[in-house]
Amino acid sequence: MSTTLLIWQMNVIRYQQAQMAAASVPETLQRLLESSDIHISKRVQTLEKIARLIEGGAEKLAVIADFDHTLTQAVDAEGNLLPVTHQVLGDALVLPDLSQKSTQDKIAAYGKESAGSDRLAMLEAWWRKAHDGVVARGLTREEFIDRARKTDIRLRDSSSEFLRSLDAAAVPTLVFSAGLSDAISVVLSDSMGAVPSAVHIVGNEMIFDENNSLVDFKSPLLHPFNKNASVIDKSSPLLSSLSARPHLLVLGDSMGDLTMEKGLGKERENTLRIGFLNGQFDKLPQFQQGYDIVVASSQSLDVPRRIVEEILAK
């Protein structure tokens, strides 16, 4: 038997195995994934991943989710762009514009002007200038919390249920952001009563002194180009718990979010990636190359919530 024929036969067998696994995914979940708002470029392989996650159950699962415009809504019912956590600082402060569009434009500009470490140095300098401006302003913890509550950051429908389910099953869950971790804590606490114990927030964290005045931001500085698990303290129990789980669910709204798991060590046995396009259809082909499932415009977290429900039911 020729090598080519043997490889072909092995591929046929492998595909048949994938089809059998895919067929085991509950019909209700399969129907949900047939929605016109859901885009899956490799349906059989994606359903096979879901089947493996369900078979593995909660004990094998870990979750990494971006926050801004992933766990939160990106647009309102009228199509207006909703704020991200850095916008809690507001235009009233003397610092560079930190709107979502400005941030994206700034990153794109740096990408065109320079490359590699030069680009990162330029971006980090801009990011630090923004943070230094906030510190110089003399922001207090109470003022920050008040601003966070008045900023229209909305969790997606089903986000609270999603996080509560993971917490109840003790699934280690990392909420990862290049935004403000303090703002994330306020939003989750106000929406859910408290940040669930299994949910760990990693982002740009503020340091307040004994008078509750902002004095600095903790290192390392997090931005879209270094937001991955390699920035987590190697001795952290969080890193250990994430690394120990062979199955991973990754949620994001940008191509950069695809690398959030980098730094967890060994390759996962099974990783399912769900991307939120937030109506930016020009990016759909790119998203389909990186994400197993792309949610085009829905502002609900129903797809990952339903998948997690099936995993936890096991």
Side-chain angles (χ1 to χ4, degrees):
M1 182 181 298
S2 70
T3 301
T4 301
L5 180 58
L6 180 60
I7 293 174
W8 178 81
Q9 289 181 333
M10 290 175 64
N11 287 337
V12 169
I13 292 171
R14 179 69 189 87
Y15 188 73
Q16 290 172 338
Q17 291 173 336
Q19 286 181 310
M20 290 176 61
S24 71
V25 174
E27 289 185 13
T28 53
L29 187 53
Q30 292 200 41
R31 285 197 296 271
L32 175 65
L33 297 177
E34 289 170 356
S35 162
S36 59
D37 194 52
I38 307 300
H39 298 264
I40 303 174
S41 59
K42 297 179 179 179
R43 186 171 181 83
V44 170
Q45 291 87 339
T46 296
L47 288 175
E48 181 190 20
K49 285 187 177 185
I50 295 172
R52 302 301 181 207
L53 290 176
I54 293 172
E55 179 62 27
E59 294 77 13
K60 289 189 175 182
L61 181 67
V63 176
I64 301 179
D66 171 57
F67 186 75
D68 289 319
H69 294 178
T70 296
L71 292 182
T72 67
Q73 297 179 38
V75 294
D76 63 16
E78 288 72 43
N80 300 309
L81 193 67
L82 290 170
V84 295
T85 53
H86 260 114
Q87 285 173 264
V88 169
L89 303 175
D91 297 331
L93 302 181
V94 182
L95 46 81
D97 181 10
L98 282 169
S99 70
Q100 180 79 351
K101 185 178 186 307
S102 172
T103 302
Q104 292 172 343
D105 290 347
K106 186 74 70 173
I107 292 171
Y110 287 160
K112 292 176 182 177
E113 292 171 5
S114 57
S117 59
D118 289 340
R119 179 182 62 185
L120 293 182
M122 293 170 68
L123 179 63
E124 288 179 3
W126 174 68
W127 218 266
R128 285 196 174 90
K129 183 180 179 182
H131 286 175
D132 290 345
V134 182
V135 173
R137 162 68 165 71
L139 188 71
T140 66
R141 188 192 300 274
E142 291 75 16
E143 183 183 358
F144 176 81
I145 292 173
D146 181 61
R147 296 178 75 97
R149 287 175 173 160
K150 290 178 178 176
T151 303
D152 193 16
I153 297 174
R154 312 175 189 177
L155 288 181
R156 287 181 187 263
D157 295 340
S158 295
S159 283
S160 294
E161 295 85 346
F162 174 75
L163 295 175
R164 285 194 181 101
S165 296
L166 294 168
D167 181 55
V171 174
T173 302
L174 169 60
V175 175
F176 215 169
S177 179
L180 301 174
S181 59
D182 302 81
I184 297 172
S185 296
V186 172
V187 173
L188 292 183
S189 295
D190 285 356
S191 300
M192 304 178 66
V195 178
S197 58
V199 174
H200 306 271
I201 302 170
V202 174
N204 289 297
E205 185 176 351
M206 303 167 116
I207 301 174
F208 294 92
D209 64 15
E210 63 276 6
N211 297 316
N212 280 332
S213 295
L214 179 65
V215 293
D216 205 350
F217 284 79
K218 285 189 177 180
S219 295
L221 171 72
L222 291 183
H223 52 73
F225 294 117
N226 72 346
K227 191 179 72 174
N228 60 66
S230 64
V231 304
I232 301 174
D233 189 337
K234 298 296 183 291
S235 62
S236 167
L238 169 62
L239 189 63
S240 299
S241 61
L242 290 172
S243 299
R245 300 293 181 106
H247 292 174
L248 187 63
L249 176 62
V250 176
L251 310 180
D253 74 316
S254 70
M255 295 304 291
D257 290 335
L258 289 167
T259 61
M260 290 190 294
E261 67 186 272
K262 181 182 177 182
L264 289 185
K266 62 182 179 181
E267 289 288 325
R268 306 271 81 72
E269 290 178 9
N270 207 47
T271 299
L272 181 72
R273 298 176 175 86
I274 301 177
F276 293 87
L277 196 60
N278 294 324
Q280 301 178 83
F281 288 95
D282 58 313
K283 296 181 180 179
L284 179 58
Q286 187 181 22
F287 265 58
Q288 286 187 288
Q289 290 180 7
Y291 288 101
D292 300 297
I293 300 171
V294 179
V295 180
S297 56
S298 171
Q299 296 302 298
S300 167
L301 208 74
D302 202 40
V303 170
R305 179 184 66 83
R306 286 284 294 109
I307 292 173
V308 163
E309 281 182 357
E310 295 296 341
I311 295 170
L312 302 188
K314 169 67 177 177

